[in-house]
Amino acid sequence: MLEKITGIKTQAESEVIKNLSDLEFFRIKYLSKKGLVSLLFDDFRNVPPEHKKEIGQGLNILKQEIQEKYNQLKVVLESKEEKSSLNDLTRPGYPISSGSRHPISIVRSEIIDVFARLGFLVSEGPEIEDDDHVFSRLNFAPEHPARDMQDTFYISRISEEDSNPDDILLRTHTSSVQVRVMQNQQPPFRTISPGRVFRNEAISARAHCIFHQVEGLYIDENVSFADLKQTLLYFARELFGKETQIRLRPSYFPFTEPSAEMDVSCRLCGGKGCNVCKYTGWLEVLGCGMVHPKVLEACNIDSKKYTGFAFGMGIERIAMLKYHVNDLRLYFENDIRFLDQFKTSL
Ligand code: DAH
């Protein structure tokens, strides 16, 4: 047995190994499960007890030495092979797959572009807001349900029972930016405010606790509902196609009077009715209205001299309609297979 050990030792030492494939051959020959060293370990079972110690030690040293030779050669050969492949200027480059813009970013910039063509400038406001900008100055009554802890994420609330203008919260809509613009600028102005908003909602295919909105505001002398309608018609046709029709349904928002919701004709069925538009021919897109005189006054704008319109829309909703995505959660999972499909867009 000892002779066998020395035999294999000399054999292994004399092996000539020039590259990684020789090395792999070496590993299989000596160190694999059926390799020469393992076979010796199998034989070890038949060694008489009085020789076990001596032979056992010999075997372990042999295995260590061969393993050591393997490890050293591996390091040397790998770095050698890497260098030589770097020196090969004819080697084709590694494929670099280009990234893609997120669908929400694509739609966000499309919306901004459309309104920029009408002279709207982008304005932004903080995501962490106070009650004053999100609710009070927008004419939300103190007991309005949106102020409830169940709908709004509060960061600090002054009293458990009553709302307070100093309460700090995550904005539930981008309408808060309207207030900031009106407080800081003199009319006339046209502005759109894209941004993230937060609502205390259970996550599902149709709702998420974080999403994106774009708010629009136009204040000047003699701004009328007809201006609002024409602006929104232009927007709808730019975004959804020249054939698009719009319809305005009366609605209610505390900060606009009158208020409306806008639907666009369903592109898929051309208004005939399909499962996307739930056989109505129309898809709901945004909320809008004439800025309530109380809101103008609360923001130090003379409501006798100025009027204006406002509108607000969810970017995810528009993107869902544009790309026929039926589960909102897809926008937040960052699954490359989903995102890759937007490679060719803008
Ligand atoms: N802030 C509203 C919301 O989050 C959307 C909205 C509706 C904004 C009407 C407006 C508006 O500016 O006029 O649901």
Side-chain angles (χ1 to χ4, degrees), residues 220-258:
D220 200 348
E221 291 177 39
N222 303 317
V223 177
S224 73
F225 202 93
D227 298 320
L228 169 62
K229 192 174 168 191
Q230 201 55 34
T231 305
L232 293 180
L233 179 64
Y234 174 76
F235 162 71
R237 293 198 163 157
E238 288 293 294
L239 213 77
F240 295 110
K242 288 276 168 283
E243 308 303 316
T244 310
Q245 303 289 326
I246 64 165
R247 120 181 140 170
L248 292 165
R249 282 178 290 106
S251 184
Y252 173 78
F253 300 103
F255 37 91
T256 43
E257 181 57 39

Side-chain angles (χ1 to χ4, degrees), residues 172-173 175 178 199 213 215-216 253 255-256 287-289 310-312:
T172 54
H173 56 180
S175 303
Q178 276 190 33
R199 285 187 199 173
Q213 285 188 333
E215 188 77 16
F253 300 103
F255 37 91
T256 43
C288 60
F311 54 86

Side-chain angles (χ1 to χ4, degrees), residues 50 126 161 208 263 317:
E50 62 270 29
E161 289 96 52
H208 208 284
D263 298 340
R317 165 116 192 112

Side-chain angles (χ1 to χ4, degrees), residues 272-289:
K272 286 198 201 76
C274 65
N275 61 354
V276 171
C277 60
K278 301 205 190 76
Y279 301 96
T280 62
W282 296 96
L283 298 162
E284 188 182 318
V285 165
L286 55 78
C288 60

Side-chain angles (χ1 to χ4, degrees), residues 133-148:
H133 290 88
V134 176
F135 299 126
S136 296
R137 280 183 209 266
L138 289 167
N139 196 33
F140 279 81
E143 68 282 1
H144 194 285
R147 287 182 138 125
D148 202 299

